[in-house]
Amino acid sequence: EKIDQEIEKAADEILGIPLGVLESTPAQSLVELFTSRNGQIDALKLMVAGSLLDERGRAAFENGRDEMAFLQSQKAASLLITASDSSDDEIRKTAKKRLDSALGYLASFDLPGSMLHDLATHFETIGQFDRAEDFWHSLSQIGESGLDEFYDRMLTLSDEQLTAGNLTREEILEAMRAH
């Protein structure tokens, strides 16, 4: 209960919106809310919003409120993906850490295709190819395309780039044969 009060206070003071509004507003609308008229995204506010929602998701998960945990953690992940594109190193590092936390709670749920796609693209973009492959593979299991194209893109990279992303050319070729 004390954590809920702290989260509510932070939402009001840092974000300037009540916690109920943060929880009930779709992720894309929150991104728009924290975007200036000239198109500049306030990554700090997105990171804070994602972190607060991640905490709410964690608390819900611990209290057996799985549906609320899923909804808050999924929204947190969406906001944190966007925040992790920040040019500010500290925001980017914190957003990535909080994203991992949100994904920990989401691991026990079936994610919708749009979230899987966002995560696959995110991890591919930041060079975590092994994690990207996992999400592209999950997408293929629900009938979505993208895995073959992912492997094609990976084959254009050097062995050093692949190794840095925790994937090897041999793994890719073996997965392509199996798929």
Side-chain angles (χ1 to χ4, degrees), residues 31 34-36 39-47 83 91:
V31 171
F34 297 130
T35 301
S36 68
Q40 183 71 31
I41 294 174
D42 189 334
L44 178 60
K45 284 190 175 181
L46 280 182
M47 191 267 302
I91 292 172

Side-chain angles (χ1 to χ4, degrees), residues 19-88:
L19 181 60
V21 172
L22 179 64
E23 290 180 328
S24 63
T25 303
Q28 187 55 44
S29 296
L30 290 170
V31 171
E32 292 168 8
L33 178 68
F34 297 130
T35 301
S36 68
R37 290 184 189 159
N38 67 357
Q40 183 71 31
I41 294 174
D42 189 334
L44 178 60
K45 284 190 175 181
L46 280 182
M47 191 267 302
V48 169
S51 296
L52 294 176
L53 290 168
D54 177 46
E55 284 299 320
R56 291 290 285 178
R58 181 189 56 75
F61 187 80
E62 289 173 357
N63 290 317
R65 297 187 333 248
D66 289 349
E67 184 176 346
M68 181 177 183
F70 173 74
L71 293 173
Q72 299 310 324
S73 295
Q74 182 180 352
K75 189 185 307 181
S78 290
L79 297 176
L80 293 165
I81 287 170
T82 303
S84 69
D85 288 338
S86 172
S87 59
D88 183 290

Side-chain angles (χ1 to χ4, degrees), residues 131-148:
R131 292 183 78 181
E133 180 186 31
D134 292 340
F135 289 110
W136 286 119
H137 188 266
S138 294
L139 274 165
S140 75
Q141 289 184 320
I142 62 169
E144 300 282 333
S145 63
L147 184 60
D148 292 334

Side-chain angles (χ1 to χ4, degrees), residues 155-169:
L155 289 175
T156 67
L157 301 177
S158 70
D159 288 340
E160 293 79 22
Q161 290 171 303
L162 291 172
T163 301
N166 293 317
L167 202 59
T168 67
R169 189 166 310 281

Side-chain angles (χ1 to χ4, degrees), residues 80-133:
L80 293 165
I81 287 170
T82 303
S84 69
D85 288 338
S86 172
S87 59
D88 183 290
D89 285 340
E90 199 58 39
I91 292 172
R92 193 171 50 251
K93 286 178 193 174
T94 303
K96 287 178 182 178
K97 181 179 170 186
R98 294 309 297 230
L99 176 59
D100 285 341
S101 172
L103 291 177
Y105 296 110
L106 289 172
S108 60
F109 299 99
D110 291 329
L111 297 177
S114 59
M115 174 59 70
L116 292 170
H117 187 273
D118 289 349
L119 289 164
T121 302
H122 168 71
F123 285 114
E124 184 177 343
T125 300
I126 65 170
Q128 292 184 9
F129 304 133
D130 58 334
R131 292 183 78 181
E133 180 186 31

